[in-house]
Amino acid sequence: GEVACDYLRLYLADSRPKLALPQERSLFVTSRGRRFHYTNLSFLVSQYGKKAGIKKFSLERTPIFTYSKAGTK
């Protein structure tokens, strides 16, 4: 957890302000400055999980997935 928190702080302080469109409120944004759709985020995380040797990984029950999915309605 602490390493992930450090990277999240770095993203919020340095990367996200440069990427996000002014009106975008989503936490994660694409290189075009728009929100990162939860299906794309889920796919990328699962791909990185496979590369890391995690056989089965899902964001379905994690708070960030639930929050991002709720924000799309």
Side-chain angles (χ1 to χ4, degrees):
E2 190 149 336
V3 172
C5 286
D6 289 343
Y7 277 107
L8 185 57
R9 281 187 206 98
L10 184 63
Y11 168 75
L12 290 172
D14 295 334
S15 301
R16 191 185 181 289
K18 294 174 187 170
L19 293 171
L21 295 173
Q23 71 276 11
E24 187 55 64
R25 295 178 15 186
S26 298
L27 176 61
F28 296 109
V29 295
T30 67
S31 60
R32 293 185 178 169
R34 296 197 166 99
R35 75 178 172 90
F36 218 127
H37 197 270
Y38 66 90
T39 55
N40 295 339
L41 184 60
S42 179
F43 175 77
L44 287 174
V45 169
S46 69
Q47 294 301 308
Y48 286 119
K50 286 178 187 176
K51 286 182 180 181
I54 301 170
K55 295 183 193 246
K56 188 172 182 178
F57 183 84
S58 173
L59 289 177
E60 288 292 327
R61 300 192 188 274
T62 59
I64 195 162
F65 178 81
T66 304
Y67 176 77
S68 66
K69 194 172 183 181
T72 62
K73 293 181 181 176

